[in-house]
Coordinates of all heavy atoms in Angstrom, one line a residue:
L1 N 4.7 25.1 -4.7 CA 4.6 23.8 -5.3 C 3.8 22.9 -4.4 O 4.1 22.7 -3.2 CB 6.0 23.2 -5.6 CG 6.0 21.8 -6.1 CD1 5.5 21.7 -7.6 CD2 7.5 21.3 -6.1
L2 N 2.8 22.2 -5.0 CA 2.1 21.2 -4.2 C 2.1 19.9 -5.1 O 1.6 19.9 -6.2 CB 0.6 21.6 -4.0 CG -0.3 20.6 -3.4 CD1 0.2 20.2 -2.0 CD2 -1.7 21.2 -3.3
E3 N 2.7 18.9 -4.6 CA 2.8 17.6 -5.3 C 2.0 16.6 -4.5 O 2.1 16.4 -3.3 CB 4.3 17.2 -5.3 CG 4.5 15.8 -5.9 CD 4.2 15.8 -7.4 OE1 4.0 16.8 -8.1 OE2 4.1 14.7 -8.0
L4 N 1.1 15.9 -5.2 CA 0.3 14.9 -4.7 C 0.8 13.5 -5.1 O 1.1 13.3 -6.3 CB -1.2 15.0 -5.1 CG -1.9 16.3 -4.8 CD1 -3.2 16.4 -5.4 CD2 -2.0 16.5 -3.3
K5 N 0.9 12.6 -4.2 CA 1.3 11.2 -4.4 C 0.3 10.3 -3.8 O -0.2 10.6 -2.7 CB 2.7 10.9 -3.9 CG 3.8 11.7 -4.5 CD 4.0 11.3 -6.0 CE 5.1 12.0 -6.6 NZ 5.2 11.8 -8.1
A6 N -0.1 9.2 -4.5 CA -1.0 8.3 -3.9 C -0.5 6.9 -4.3 O 0.2 6.7 -5.2 CB -2.4 8.5 -4.5
G7 N -1.0 5.9 -3.5 CA -0.7 4.5 -3.8 C 0.8 4.1 -3.6 O 1.3 3.3 -4.3
L8 N 1.4 4.8 -2.7 CA 2.8 4.4 -2.4 C 2.8 3.2 -1.4 O 2.8 3.4 -0.2 CB 3.6 5.6 -1.8 CG 3.7 6.8 -2.7 CD1 4.5 7.9 -2.1 CD2 4.3 6.4 -4.1
N9 N 2.9 2.0 -1.9 CA 2.8 0.8 -1.1 C 4.1 0.0 -1.0 O 4.2 -0.9 -0.2 CB 1.7 -0.1 -1.6 CG 0.3 0.6 -1.6 OD1 0.0 1.3 -0.6 ND2 -0.4 0.6 -2.6
A10 N 5.0 0.3 -1.9 CA 6.3 -0.4 -1.9 C 7.5 0.5 -1.9 O 7.3 1.7 -2.4 CB 6.3 -1.4 -3.1
S11 N 8.6 0.1 -1.5 CA 9.8 1.0 -1.4 C 10.2 1.4 -2.8 O 10.7 2.5 -3.0 CB 10.9 0.3 -0.6 OG 11.3 -0.9 -1.2
G12 N 10.1 0.5 -3.8 CA 10.6 0.8 -5.1 C 9.8 2.0 -5.7 O 10.4 2.9 -6.3
E13 N 8.5 1.9 -5.6 CA 7.6 3.0 -6.2 C 7.8 4.3 -5.3 O 7.7 5.4 -5.9 CB 6.2 2.6 -6.3 CG 5.5 2.2 -5.0 CD 4.2 1.5 -5.2 OE1 3.9 1.1 -6.3 OE2 3.4 1.5 -4.2
T14 N 8.1 4.1 -4.1 CA 8.3 5.3 -3.2 C 9.6 5.9 -3.6 O 9.7 7.2 -3.7 CB 8.3 4.9 -1.7 OG1 7.1 4.3 -1.4 CG2 8.6 6.1 -0.8
D15 N 10.7 5.1 -3.8 CA 12.0 5.7 -4.3 C 11.8 6.4 -5.6 O 12.4 7.5 -5.8 CB 13.0 4.6 -4.4 CG 13.4 4.0 -3.1 OD1 13.2 4.6 -2.0 OD2 14.0 2.9 -3.1
R16 N 11.1 5.9 -6.5 CA 10.8 6.5 -7.8 C 10.1 7.9 -7.6 O 10.5 8.9 -8.2 CB 10.0 5.6 -8.7 CG 9.8 6.2 -10.1 CD 9.0 5.2 -11.0 NE 8.6 5.8 -12.2 CZ 7.4 6.4 -12.3 NH1 6.6 6.5 -11.3 NH2 7.1 7.0 -13.5
A17 N 9.0 7.9 -6.8 CA 8.3 9.1 -6.5 C 9.1 10.1 -5.8 O 9.0 11.3 -6.1 CB 7.0 8.7 -5.7
M18 N 10.0 9.7 -4.9 CA 10.8 10.7 -4.2 C 11.9 11.2 -5.1 O 12.3 12.4 -5.0 CB 11.5 10.0 -3.0 CG 10.5 9.6 -1.9 SD 9.4 11.0 -1.3 CE 7.9 10.7 -2.3
G19 N 12.4 10.5 -6.1 CA 13.3 11.0 -7.1 C 12.7 12.0 -7.9 O 13.3 13.1 -8.2
Q20 N 11.4 11.8 -8.3 CA 10.7 12.7 -9.1 C 10.4 14.0 -8.3 O 10.6 15.1 -8.8 CB 9.3 12.1 -9.5 CG 8.5 13.0 -10.4 CD 7.1 12.4 -10.7 OE1 6.5 11.8 -9.8 NE2 6.7 12.4 -11.9
M21 N 10.1 13.9 -7.0 CA 9.9 15.0 -6.1 C 11.2 15.8 -6.0 O 11.1 17.1 -6.0 CB 9.4 14.6 -4.8 CG 9.0 15.7 -3.8 SD 7.7 16.7 -4.4 CE 7.7 18.0 -3.3
L22 N 12.3 15.2 -5.9 CA 13.6 15.9 -5.7 C 13.9 16.7 -7.0 O 14.3 17.9 -6.9 CB 14.7 14.9 -5.5 CG 16.1 15.6 -5.4 CD1 16.2 16.6 -4.3 CD2 17.2 14.5 -5.1
R23 N 13.6 16.2 -8.2 CA 13.8 16.9 -9.4 C 12.9 18.2 -9.4 O 13.3 19.3 -9.8 CB 13.5 16.1 -10.6 CG 14.6 15.0 -10.8 CD 14.5 14.3 -12.2 NE 13.2 13.6 -12.3 CZ 13.0 12.3 -11.8 NH1 14.0 11.7 -11.2 NH2 11.9 11.7 -12.0
Y24 N 11.6 18.0 -9.0 CA 10.7 19.2 -8.9 C 11.3 20.2 -7.9 O 11.2 21.4 -8.2 CB 9.3 18.8 -8.4 CG 8.6 17.9 -9.4 CD1 7.5 17.1 -8.9 CD2 8.9 17.8 -10.7 CE1 6.8 16.2 -9.8 CE2 8.2 17.0 -11.6 CZ 7.1 16.2 -11.1 OH 6.4 15.4 -12.0
L25 N 11.7 19.8 -6.7 CA 12.3 20.7 -5.7 C 13.5 21.5 -6.2 O 13.6 22.7 -6.0 CB 12.7 19.9 -4.5 CG 11.5 19.3 -3.6 CD1 12.1 18.4 -2.6 CD2 10.7 20.4 -3.0
L26 N 14.3 20.8 -6.9 CA 15.5 21.5 -7.5 C 15.1 22.5 -8.5 O 15.7 23.6 -8.6 CB 16.5 20.5 -8.0 CG 17.2 19.6 -7.0 CD1 18.0 18.5 -7.6 CD2 18.0 20.4 -6.0
A27 N 14.1 22.2 -9.3 CA 13.7 23.2 -10.3 C 12.9 24.3 -9.7 O 12.9 25.4 -10.2 CB 12.8 22.4 -11.4
W28 N 12.2 24.1 -8.6 CA 11.3 25.0 -8.0 C 11.9 25.8 -6.9 O 11.3 26.8 -6.4 CB 10.1 24.2 -7.5 CG 9.0 25.1 -7.0 CD1 8.7 25.4 -5.7 CD2 7.9 25.7 -7.8 NE1 7.6 26.2 -5.6 CE2 7.1 26.4 -6.9 CE3 7.7 25.8 -9.1 CZ2 6.0 27.2 -7.3 CZ3 6.6 26.5 -9.6 CH2 5.8 27.2 -8.7
K29 N 13.1 25.5 -6.5 CA 13.8 26.0 -5.3 C 13.7 27.6 -5.2 O 13.4 28.1 -4.2 CB 15.2 25.6 -5.2 CG 15.9 26.0 -3.9 CD 17.3 25.5 -3.8 CE 18.0 26.0 -2.5 NZ 19.3 25.5 -2.4
S30 N 14.0 28.2 -6.3 CA 14.0 29.7 -6.3 C 12.6 30.3 -6.3 O 12.5 31.5 -6.1 CB 14.8 30.2 -7.5 OG 14.1 29.9 -8.7
H31 N 11.6 29.5 -6.4 CA 10.2 30.1 -6.5 C 9.4 30.0 -5.2 O 8.4 30.6 -5.1 CB 9.4 29.3 -7.6 CG 10.0 29.5 -9.0 ND1 10.0 30.7 -9.7 CD2 10.7 28.6 -9.7 CE1 10.6 30.5 -10.8 NE2 11.0 29.2 -10.9
G32 N 9.9 29.2 -4.3 CA 9.2 29.2 -3.0 C 9.1 27.8 -2.4 O 9.7 26.8 -3.0
P33 N 8.4 27.6 -1.3 CA 8.3 26.4 -0.6 C 7.5 25.3 -1.4 O 6.7 25.7 -2.3 CB 7.7 26.7 0.7 CG 6.9 27.9 0.4 CD 7.6 28.7 -0.6
A34 N 7.6 24.1 -0.9 CA 6.9 23.0 -1.6 C 6.3 22.1 -0.5 O 6.8 22.0 0.6 CB 7.9 22.1 -2.4
I35 N 5.1 21.5 -0.9 CA 4.4 20.6 0.0 C 4.2 19.3 -0.7 O 3.7 19.3 -1.9 CB 3.0 21.2 0.4 CG1 3.2 22.5 1.2 CG2 2.3 20.1 1.3 CD1 1.9 23.2 1.5
L36 N 4.6 18.2 -0.1 CA 4.4 16.9 -0.6 C 3.2 16.3 0.2 O 3.3 16.1 1.4 CB 5.6 16.0 -0.4 CG 5.5 14.5 -0.7 CD1 5.0 14.3 -2.2 CD2 6.8 13.8 -0.4
A37 N 2.1 16.0 -0.5 CA 0.9 15.5 0.1 C 0.8 14.0 -0.3 O 0.7 13.7 -1.5 CB -0.3 16.2 -0.2
V38 N 0.8 13.1 0.6 CA 0.8 11.7 0.3 C -0.6 11.2 0.8 O -1.0 11.3 1.9 CB 1.9 10.9 1.1 CG1 1.8 9.4 0.7 CG2 3.2 11.4 0.7
C39 N -1.4 10.7 -0.2 CA -2.8 10.2 0.0 C -2.9 8.7 -0.1 O -2.0 8.1 -0.7 CB -3.7 10.9 -1.0 SG -3.6 12.7 -1.1
G40 N -3.9 8.2 0.5 CA -4.2 6.8 0.4 C -3.5 6.0 1.5 O -2.8 6.6 2.3
E41 N -3.8 4.7 1.6 CA -3.2 3.9 2.6 C -1.7 3.8 2.4 O -1.2 3.4 1.3 CB -3.8 2.6 2.7 CG -5.2 2.6 3.3 CD -5.7 1.2 3.5 OE1 -5.0 0.3 3.9 OE2 -7.0 1.0 3.3
T42 N -0.9 4.1 3.4 CA 0.6 4.1 3.3 C 1.0 3.4 4.6 O 0.7 3.9 5.7 CB 1.2 5.5 3.1 OG1 0.5 6.1 2.0 CG2 2.7 5.4 2.9
S43 N 1.9 2.4 4.5 CA 2.3 1.7 5.7 C 3.2 2.6 6.6 O 3.8 3.6 6.1 CB 3.1 0.5 5.3 OG 4.4 0.8 4.8
P44 N 3.3 2.3 7.9 CA 4.2 3.1 8.7 C 5.6 3.1 8.2 O 6.3 4.1 8.3 CB 4.1 2.4 10.1 CG 2.8 1.8 10.1 CD 2.5 1.4 8.6
E45 N 6.1 2.0 7.6 CA 7.5 1.9 7.1 C 7.7 2.9 5.9 O 8.7 3.6 5.9 CB 7.8 0.5 6.7 CG 7.8 -0.5 7.8 CD 6.4 -1.0 8.2 OE1 5.4 -0.8 7.5 OE2 6.4 -1.7 9.3
I46 N 6.7 2.9 5.0 CA 6.8 3.8 3.9 C 6.7 5.3 4.3 O 7.4 6.2 3.9 CB 5.7 3.5 2.8 CG1 6.0 2.1 2.3 CG2 5.7 4.6 1.7 CD1 7.3 1.9 1.5
R47 N 5.8 5.6 5.3 CA 5.7 7.0 5.8 C 7.1 7.4 6.4 O 7.5 8.5 6.2 CB 4.6 7.1 6.8 CG 3.2 7.1 6.2 CD 2.1 7.5 7.2 NE 2.0 6.6 8.3 CZ 1.2 5.5 8.3 NH1 0.5 5.3 7.3 NH2 1.1 4.8 9.4
F48 N 7.7 6.5 7.2 CA 9.0 6.8 7.8 C 10.0 7.0 6.7 O 10.8 8.0 6.8 CB 9.4 5.6 8.7 CG 10.7 5.9 9.4 CD1 10.7 6.8 10.5 CD2 11.9 5.3 9.0 CE1 11.9 7.1 11.1 CE2 13.1 5.6 9.6 CZ 13.1 6.5 10.7
L49 N 10.0 6.2 5.6 CA 11.0 6.4 4.5 C 10.8 7.7 3.9 O 11.8 8.4 3.6 CB 10.8 5.2 3.5 CG 11.7 5.3 2.3 CD1 13.1 5.2 2.6 CD2 11.3 4.2 1.3
I50 N 9.6 8.1 3.7 CA 9.3 9.4 3.1 C 9.8 10.5 4.0 O 10.4 11.5 3.5 CB 7.8 9.6 2.7 CG1 7.4 8.6 1.6 CG2 7.4 11.0 2.4 CD1 5.9 8.4 1.4
R51 N 9.5 10.4 5.3 CA 10.0 11.4 6.2 C 11.5 11.5 6.2 O 12.1 12.6 6.3 CB 9.5 11.1 7.6 CG 8.1 11.3 7.8 CD 7.7 11.0 9.3 NE 6.3 11.2 9.5 CZ 5.4 10.1 9.6 NH1 5.9 8.9 9.7 NH2 4.2 10.3 9.8
I52 N 12.2 10.4 6.0 CA 13.7 10.4 5.9 C 14.1 11.2 4.7 O 15.0 12.1 4.8 CB 14.3 9.0 5.8 CG1 14.1 8.3 7.1 CG2 15.7 9.0 5.4 CD1 14.9 8.8 8.3
Y53 N 13.5 11.0 3.6 CA 13.8 11.8 2.3 C 13.6 13.3 2.6 O 14.5 14.1 2.3 CB 12.8 11.4 1.2 CG 13.3 10.2 0.4 CD1 12.7 9.0 0.5 CD2 14.3 10.3 -0.5 CE1 13.1 7.9 -0.3 CE2 14.7 9.2 -1.3 CZ 14.1 8.0 -1.2 OH 14.5 7.0 -1.9
V54 N 12.4 13.6 3.1 CA 12.1 15.1 3.4 C 13.1 15.7 4.4 O 13.6 16.8 4.2 CB 10.7 15.2 3.8 CG1 10.4 16.7 4.2 CG2 9.7 14.8 2.7
H55 N 13.4 15.0 5.4 CA 14.4 15.4 6.4 C 15.7 15.7 5.8 O 16.3 16.7 6.0 CB 14.5 14.4 7.5 CG 15.4 14.8 8.6 ND1 15.1 15.7 9.6 CD2 16.7 14.4 8.8 CE1 16.2 15.8 10.4 NE2 17.2 15.0 9.9
T56 N 16.2 14.8 4.9 CA 17.5 14.9 4.2 C 17.4 16.1 3.3 O 18.4 16.9 3.3 CB 17.8 13.7 3.4 OG1 17.9 12.6 4.4 CG2 19.1 13.8 2.7
W57 N 16.4 16.3 2.5 CA 16.3 17.4 1.6 C 16.3 18.8 2.4 O 16.9 19.7 1.9 CB 15.0 17.4 0.8 CG 14.9 16.2 -0.1 CD1 15.9 15.5 -0.7 CD2 13.7 15.6 -0.6 NE1 15.4 14.5 -1.5 CE2 14.0 14.5 -1.4 CE3 12.3 15.9 -0.4 CZ2 13.1 13.7 -2.1 CZ3 11.4 15.1 -1.0 CH2 11.7 14.0 -1.8
R58 N 15.7 18.8 3.5 CA 15.6 20.0 4.3 C 17.0 20.4 4.9 O 17.4 21.5 4.9 CB 14.5 19.9 5.4 CG 13.1 20.0 4.8 CD 12.1 19.7 5.9 NE 12.2 20.8 6.9 CZ 11.2 21.3 7.5 NH1 10.0 20.8 7.2 NH2 11.3 22.3 8.3
K59 N 17.6 19.3 5.6 CA 18.8 19.6 6.3 C 20.0 19.6 5.5 O 20.9 20.4 5.7 CB 18.9 18.5 7.4 CG 17.8 18.5 8.4 CD 17.8 19.8 9.2 CE 16.7 19.7 10.2 NZ 16.5 21.0 10.9
Q60 N 20.2 18.7 4.5 CA 21.4 18.7 3.7 C 21.4 19.5 2.4 O 22.4 20.0 2.0 CB 21.7 17.2 3.4 CG 22.1 16.4 4.6 CD 22.5 15.0 4.3 OE1 22.6 14.6 3.2 NE2 22.7 14.2 5.4
L61 N 20.2 19.7 1.8 CA 20.1 20.4 0.6 C 19.5 21.8 0.8 O 19.3 22.5 -0.2 CB 19.4 19.6 -0.5 CG 20.0 18.2 -0.8 CD1 19.1 17.5 -1.8 CD2 21.4 18.4 -1.3
N62 N 19.0 22.1 2.0 CA 18.4 23.3 2.3 C 17.2 23.6 1.4 O 17.0 24.8 0.9 CB 19.4 24.5 2.3 CG 18.9 25.7 3.0 OD1 18.1 25.6 4.0 ND2 19.3 26.9 2.5
L63 N 16.4 22.6 1.1 CA 15.2 22.8 0.3 C 14.0 23.0 1.1 O 13.7 22.3 2.1 CB 15.0 21.5 -0.6 CG 16.1 21.3 -1.6 CD1 15.9 19.9 -2.3 CD2 16.1 22.4 -2.7
P64 N 13.2 24.0 0.8 CA 12.0 24.4 1.6 C 10.8 23.4 1.3 O 10.0 23.7 0.4 CB 11.7 25.8 1.2 CG 12.2 25.9 -0.2 CD 13.4 25.0 -0.3
V65 N 10.8 22.3 2.0 CA 9.7 21.3 1.7 C 9.2 20.7 3.0 O 9.9 20.6 4.0 CB 10.3 20.2 0.8 CG1 11.5 19.5 1.4 CG2 9.2 19.2 0.4
T66 N 7.9 20.4 3.0 CA 7.3 19.7 4.1 C 6.4 18.6 3.5 O 6.1 18.6 2.3 CB 6.5 20.6 5.0 OG1 6.2 20.0 6.2 CG2 5.2 21.1 4.3
V67 N 6.1 17.6 4.3 CA 5.2 16.5 3.9 C 4.0 16.4 4.8 O 4.1 16.6 6.0 CB 6.0 15.2 3.9 CG1 6.5 14.8 5.2 CG2 5.2 14.1 3.2
I68 N 2.9 16.1 4.2 CA 1.7 15.8 5.0 C 1.1 14.5 4.5 O 1.3 14.1 3.3 CB 0.6 16.9 4.9 CG1 0.2 17.2 3.5 CG2 1.1 18.2 5.6 CD1 -0.9 18.1 3.3
F69 N 0.5 13.7 5.4 CA -0.1 12.5 5.1 C -1.6 12.6 5.3 O -2.0 13.2 6.3 CB 0.5 11.3 5.9 CG 1.9 11.1 5.6 CD1 2.9 11.7 6.3 CD2 2.3 10.2 4.6 CE1 4.2 11.4 6.0 CE2 3.6 9.9 4.3 CZ 4.6 10.5 5.0
K70 N -2.4 11.9 4.5 CA -3.9 11.8 4.7 C -4.1 11.1 6.0 O -3.4 10.1 6.3 CB -4.5 11.1 3.6 CG -6.0 10.8 3.8 CD -6.5 9.8 2.8 CE -6.6 8.4 3.3 NZ -6.9 7.9 4.5
W71 N -5.0 11.5 6.8 CA -5.3 10.9 8.1 C -5.8 9.5 7.8 O -6.7 9.3 6.9 CB -6.3 11.6 8.9 CG -6.6 10.9 10.2 CD1 -5.8 10.9 11.3 CD2 -7.7 10.2 10.5 NE1 -6.4 10.2 12.3 CE2 -7.6 9.7 11.8 CE3 -8.9 9.9 9.9 CZ2 -8.5 9.0 12.5 CZ3 -9.9 9.1 10.5 CH2 -9.7 8.7 11.8
D72 N -5.2 8.5 8.4 CA -5.6 7.1 8.1 C -6.3 6.5 9.4 O -5.7 6.3 10.4 CB -4.4 6.3 7.8 CG -4.7 4.9 7.4 OD1 -5.8 4.4 7.6 OD2 -3.8 4.2 6.8
P73 N -7.6 6.3 9.3 CA -8.4 5.8 10.4 C -8.0 4.4 10.9 O -8.4 4.0 12.0 CB -9.8 5.8 10.0 CG -9.8 5.7 8.5 CD -8.5 6.4 8.1
T74 N -7.2 3.7 10.1 CA -6.7 2.3 10.5 C -5.6 2.4 11.5 O -5.2 1.4 12.1 CB -6.4 1.5 9.3 OG1 -5.2 2.1 8.6 CG2 -7.5 1.4 8.3
I75 N -4.9 3.6 11.7 CA -3.8 3.7 12.6 C -4.4 3.6 14.0 O -5.3 4.3 14.4 CB -3.1 5.0 12.4 CG1 -2.4 5.0 11.0 CG2 -2.0 5.2 13.5 CD1 -1.8 6.3 10.7
T76 N -3.8 2.7 14.8 CA -4.3 2.5 16.2 C -3.3 2.7 17.3 O -3.7 2.9 18.4 CB -4.9 1.1 16.3 OG1 -3.9 0.1 16.0 CG2 -6.1 0.9 15.4
T77 N -2.0 2.7 17.0 CA -1.0 2.8 18.0 C -0.7 4.3 18.3 O -0.7 5.1 17.4 CB 0.3 2.1 17.6 OG1 0.9 2.8 16.5 CG2 0.1 0.7 17.3
E78 N -0.6 4.6 19.6 CA -0.3 6.0 20.0 C 1.0 6.5 19.4 O 1.1 7.6 19.0 CB -0.1 6.0 21.5 CG -1.5 6.0 22.2 CD -1.3 6.2 23.7 OE1 -0.4 6.9 24.1 OE2 -2.1 5.6 24.5
E79 N 2.0 5.6 19.3 CA 3.3 6.0 18.7 C 3.2 6.5 17.3 O 3.7 7.6 16.9 CB 4.3 4.9 18.8 CG 5.7 5.3 18.2 CD 6.7 4.1 18.2 OE1 6.6 3.3 19.1 OE2 7.5 4.1 17.3
E80 N 2.4 5.8 16.5 CA 2.2 6.3 15.1 C 1.4 7.6 15.0 O 1.7 8.4 14.2 CB 1.5 5.2 14.3 CG 1.4 5.5 12.8 CD 2.8 5.7 12.1 OE1 3.8 5.1 12.5 OE2 2.8 6.5 11.2
I81 N 0.4 7.7 15.9 CA -0.4 8.9 15.8 C 0.4 10.1 16.3 O 0.3 11.2 15.7 CB -1.6 8.8 16.8 CG1 -2.6 7.7 16.2 CG2 -2.3 10.1 17.0 CD1 -3.7 7.3 17.1
E82 N 1.4 10.0 17.2 CA 2.2 11.1 17.7 C 3.4 11.4 16.9 O 4.0 12.4 17.1 CB 2.6 10.7 19.2 CG 1.4 10.7 20.1 CD 1.9 10.3 21.5 OE1 3.1 10.0 21.7 OE2 1.0 10.2 22.4
M83 N 3.7 10.5 15.9 CA 4.9 10.7 15.1 C 4.8 12.0 14.3 O 3.7 12.3 13.8 CB 5.1 9.6 14.1 CG 6.4 9.6 13.4 SD 6.7 8.1 12.5 CE 8.2 7.5 13.3
P84 N 5.8 12.9 14.3 CA 5.7 14.2 13.7 C 5.5 14.1 12.2 O 5.9 13.1 11.5 CB 7.0 14.8 14.0 CG 8.0 13.7 14.2 CD 7.1 12.6 14.8
I85 N 4.9 15.1 11.6 CA 4.6 15.1 10.1 C 5.8 15.5 9.4 O 6.1 14.9 8.3 CB 3.4 16.1 9.8 CG1 2.1 15.5 10.4 CG2 3.3 16.3 8.3 CD1 0.9 16.4 10.3
E86 N 6.6 16.5 9.8 CA 7.6 17.1 9.0 C 8.9 16.4 9.1 O 9.7 16.4 8.1 CB 7.9 18.5 9.4 CG 6.7 19.4 9.1 CD 7.0 20.9 9.3 OE1 8.2 21.2 9.3 OE2 6.1 21.7 9.4
A87 N 9.3 15.7 10.2 CA 10.6 15.1 10.3 C 10.5 13.8 11.0 O 9.7 13.6 11.9 CB 11.6 16.0 11.0
P88 N 11.3 12.8 10.6 CA 11.3 11.5 11.3 C 11.9 11.6 12.7 O 12.7 12.5 13.0 CB 12.1 10.7 10.4 CG 13.0 11.6 9.7 CD 12.3 12.9 9.6
R89 N 11.5 10.7 13.5 CA 12.2 10.5 14.8 C 13.5 9.8 14.6 O 13.5 8.6 14.1 CB 11.4 9.7 15.8 CG 10.2 10.5 16.3 CD 9.5 9.6 17.3 NE 8.2 10.3 17.7 CZ 7.3 9.7 18.4 NH1 7.4 8.5 18.9 NH2 6.2 10.4 18.7
L90 N 14.6 10.4 14.8 CA 15.9 9.8 14.6 C 16.7 9.9 15.9 O 16.8 11.0 16.5 CB 16.7 10.5 13.5 CG 16.1 10.5 12.1 CD1 16.9 11.4 11.1 CD2 15.9 9.1 11.6
E91 N 17.1 8.8 16.4 CA 17.9 8.8 17.6 C 19.2 9.5 17.4 O 19.9 9.3 16.5 CB 18.1 7.3 18.1 CG 16.9 6.6 18.4 CD 16.1 7.2 19.5 OE1 16.7 7.6 20.5 OE2 14.8 7.2 19.5
G92 N 19.5 10.4 18.4 CA 20.8 11.0 18.4 C 21.0 12.1 17.4 O 22.1 12.6 17.1
V93 N 19.9 12.5 16.7 CA 20.0 13.6 15.7 C 19.3 14.8 16.3 O 18.2 14.8 16.8 CB 19.4 13.2 14.4 CG1 19.4 14.4 13.4 CG2 20.2 12.0 13.8

């Protein structure tokens, strides 16, 4: 399963898109892994929120999913560039 999302600029639309993705994952679980590709400009906060969703799906629901983001040339901080694609940085986890 390859799901493409674009234009995720606010938490409300991100929550809606992640709910849709979860429904796809539950329906697709027995067929194989899934990739969520997020395109377009997405703030660091929204990228982090999406990583939290994916991390939860993988760890708590055992769903085979990963997320990738389009490379954004406007990112300038080392911390954001080094942040992992598949899972968020969570203290103490």
Side-chain angles (χ1 to χ4, degrees):
L1 172 68
L2 175 60
E3 176 68 11
L4 300 173
K5 295 293 182 189
L8 299 179
N9 299 314
S11 61
E13 61 193 17
T14 301
D15 290 342
R16 181 177 170 271
M18 295 304 99
Q20 183 182 44
M21 183 66 188
L22 178 59
R23 288 189 300 277
Y24 294 157
L25 290 170
L26 293 172
W28 189 260
K29 184 178 181 178
S30 63
H31 300 288
I35 298 171
L36 170 61
V38 180
C39 305
E41 288 189 36
T42 308
S43 72
E45 295 83 9
I46 297 296
R47 285 192 297 271
F48 183 76
L49 178 61
I50 292 168
R51 288 184 185 106
I52 293 291
Y53 274 107
V54 171
H55 179 79
T56 300
W57 296 335
R58 291 173 63 141
K59 298 299 181 182
Q60 293 184 6
L61 301 177
N62 198 33
L63 295 171
V65 60
T66 193
V67 62
I68 57 173
F69 294 91
K70 173 193 97 36
W71 180 75
D72 188 345
T74 63
I75 297 173
T76 57
T77 65
E78 284 185 31
E79 179 179 327
E80 185 59 31
I81 292 170
E82 293 175 2
M83 191 172 238
I85 291 174
E86 292 190 22
R89 289 185 186 170
L90 299 174
E91 296 298 323
V93 175

